[in-house]
Amino acid sequence: MPLPISERGRQMPASPFRKLAPFAEQAKRQGKKVYHLNIGQPDIATPPSLFEAVRQADIPVLAYSHGAGTDSYRQKLAAYYHRAGIEVSTEEILVTTAGSEAILFALLTCLNPGDELLVPEPFYGTYTAFAIAAGVSIVTVTATIDTGFALPPLADFEAVITPRTRAILLCNPSNPTGHVYTRAELEGLLGICQRHGLYLLSDEAYREYCYDGAKATSALNLPGGDEYVVVLDTISKRYSACGARVGSLVTRNKTVWQAAFHFAQMRISPPGLGMLLGEAAVELPESYFDENRAEYQARRDLTVRRLRAMLGVRCLVPGGAFYVMPHLPVDDAERFGEWLLREFSYDNQTLMLSPAAGFYQTPGLGRQQVRLAYVLNLKDLDAAMTVLEQALLAYPGRVEEPVAAEAAELAGA
């Protein structure tokens, strides 16, 4: 008889953007070309200067660093935030093993087991796993495609606050919807935090990637937010360096920082070579972001244009990040995603997407939505859209009307 695993082990979900990976591997073994629109892994080259910094480093021993990160990297991060219009000191920056560890440290620091975390849905699917690991419950307030996935009314947040509520978590710009929260929306959330004594946890991984002239507001720049705001950050998407695994937790709340630092000491130090990459990244000129932003905007425009031309597809124009969350005329997005990989091909090509149910907490929502990451070059992205267009026409489970739960969501219920 097998030994039992922990309750959190039983609850831990599969990754919503890797769930279909076994079918993708099978499709590749069959000789099909698979376009990966399921995960935010850009194909833009990591800047060569990042690798050169590691090659040139004179490191006789790759030793532990300070638990909060090296002084040199934290100083350069402070300079980066200054250029981004965010004033923080090195003592307010904790270097983490990617943004993932920053999220986990924030939950472990700001919430107790059994506490509740308010999150607008749809949300970055891995938040569920972090909440389970920390022993906290996610309580959602639902945004809808009809309102552009904008922040739900503040009254909806107020309505679900209980004595166990301890924090609000959001991603700005949003993964998975691409919505860029306005300063007014963020100030409204901070007001709730101030009235109820809650933390505002702001995941700002996509800060630089806003389009059509829009700018993301950092929660650290909200007046009166110093004791409430904890920013979670990473170099992964900013510099197309997902494998470096270097992020940061930034807060002006000294008590929060100190407690998070104690968790950081538990894992000794963040990645040494990753911090060298991070130092070199901070030295890149602003033109680096200008060029990448223009490229991502072109990819966004192509993706939205192609999706809107497909019969039965409903698609918004995302304002930031590099994701779009369309409504598809299918009976079930997960079934459709599996069918794409197991049974369908167009010119011996298919694609992998992320069914949107994994980005919702409320059962039944997202059943006809998918998250697509427009992280491929324009030629491959266009080809992938053609595959999707043909697949939607051929799919045996195609439906012209929303299923019940999806219909309620589209109606704003």
Side-chain angles (χ1 to χ4, degrees):
M1 183 174 180
L3 293 173
I5 61 171
S6 69
E7 180 61 26
R8 65 170 60 91
R10 286 192 292 271
Q11 292 178 357
M12 193 62 67
S15 166
F17 32 85
R18 295 182 186 269
K19 193 172 185 179
L20 300 177
F23 304 112
E25 294 306 314
Q26 180 183 6
K28 291 174 185 177
R29 286 193 294 269
Q30 294 170 349
K32 297 178 186 177
K33 180 177 178 62
V34 178
Y35 293 105
H36 283 273
L37 304 184
N38 61 297
I39 193 166
Q41 173 56 66
D43 68 356
I44 291 175
T46 306
S49 60
L50 276 62
F51 300 115
E52 192 60 29
V54 175
R55 292 189 193 100
Q56 293 182 358
D58 182 11
I59 308 174
V61 176
L62 187 59
Y64 293 129
S65 72
H66 189 284
T70 61
D71 287 342
S72 57
Y73 183 41
R74 291 167 71 201
Q75 289 168 6
K76 289 191 175 182
L77 271 180
Y80 155 76
Y81 285 116
H82 172 75
R83 291 195 299 274
I86 304 166
E87 299 302 330
V88 292
S89 68
T90 56
E91 292 76 21
E92 294 163 336
I93 299 171
L94 176 68
V95 182
T96 58
T97 306
S100 299
E101 190 176 71
I103 296 167
L104 181 59
F105 283 177
L107 297 187
L108 293 173
T109 298
C110 298
L111 293 88
N112 287 313
D115 282 346
E116 295 174 348
L117 175 69
L118 293 189
V119 188
E121 65 176 354
F123 55 80
Y124 175 47
T126 311
Y127 289 161
T128 300
F130 293 127
I132 291 170
V136 304
S137 299
I138 289 179
V139 175
T140 56
V141 178
T142 305
T144 70
I145 195 170
D146 270 353
T147 61
F149 293 115
L151 193 74
L154 297 180
D156 292 358
F157 287 86
E158 296 273 8
V160 295
I161 291 174
T162 75
R164 300 303 299 172
T165 308
R166 289 291 179 271
I168 298 173
L169 169 63
L170 80 164
C171 181
N172 187 34
S174 169
N175 173 4
T177 69
H179 178 69
V180 180
Y181 293 100
T182 66
R183 174 176 285 272
E185 287 176 318
L186 295 174
E187 288 176 343
L189 286 181
L190 177 60
I192 290 176
C193 292
Q194 291 169 328
R195 288 192 294 277
H196 295 276
L198 312 178
Y199 290 104
L200 179 58
L201 311 180
S202 182
D203 181 346
E204 301 182 3
Y206 302 91
R207 180 181 298 112
E208 275 74 19
Y209 297 118
C210 299
Y211 312 117
D212 304 315
K215 299 286 186 183
T217 299
S218 173
L220 285 165
N221 283 341
L222 300 177
D226 286 3
E227 291 302 305
Y228 302 91
V229 170
V230 181
V231 160
L232 318 167
D233 214 342
T234 176
I235 73 169
S236 292
K237 309 306 169 69
R238 186 163 295 134
Y239 305 108
S240 195
C242 297
R245 313 314 295 148
V246 175
S248 56
L249 181 153
V250 188
T251 182
R252 299 189 182 99
N253 184 316
K254 293 180 173 56
T255 304
V256 169
W257 189 97
Q258 190 63 44
F261 173 58
H262 290 160
F263 284 110
Q265 287 182 313
M266 175 181 65
R267 58 88 169 107
I268 313 299
S269 67
L273 296 182
M275 285 188 285
L276 286 177
L277 288 169
E279 287 195 37
V282 172
E283 299 296 331
L284 290 167
E286 287 301 307
S287 59
Y288 171 78
F289 296 119
D290 295 337
E291 293 168 6
N292 284 359
R293 189 181 302 111
E295 174 64 19
Y296 283 130
Q297 182 163 333
R299 296 178 181 191
R300 179 205 66 172
D301 292 347
L302 183 150
T303 303
V304 171
R305 174 175 57 79
R306 292 296 309 272
L307 286 168
R308 286 183 162 182
M310 297 178 196
L311 185 66
V313 173
R314 189 174 185 198
C315 177
L316 301 172
V317 180
F322 34 67
Y323 308 98
V324 62
M325 206 163 184
H327 171 92
L328 303 183
V330 298
D331 58 351
D332 184 275
E334 186 165 336
R335 187 179 300 125
F336 174 64
E338 183 177 332
W339 174 84
L340 274 170
L341 296 165
R342 294 186 66 178
E343 301 182 39
F344 179 80
S345 71
Y346 177 76
D347 287 346
N348 208 35
Q349 304 170 100
T350 190
L351 60 90
M352 185 176 176
L353 44 73
S354 292
F359 300 91
Y360 286 89
Q361 179 93 347
T362 303
L365 293 187
R367 187 175 169 188
Q368 291 180 276
Q369 295 175 353
V370 296
R371 189 196 72 169
L372 302 175
Y374 46 90
V375 292
L376 304 182
N377 63 76
L378 290 170
K379 179 181 177 182
D380 284 352
L381 193 58
D382 199 35
M385 289 296 105
T386 297
V387 171
L388 178 60
E389 182 176 40
Q390 295 299 318
L392 287 172
L393 294 173
Y395 179 53
R398 180 183 175 92
V399 297
E400 301 303 331
E401 296 296 331
V403 297
E406 205 79 3
E409 183 192 4
L410 290 171

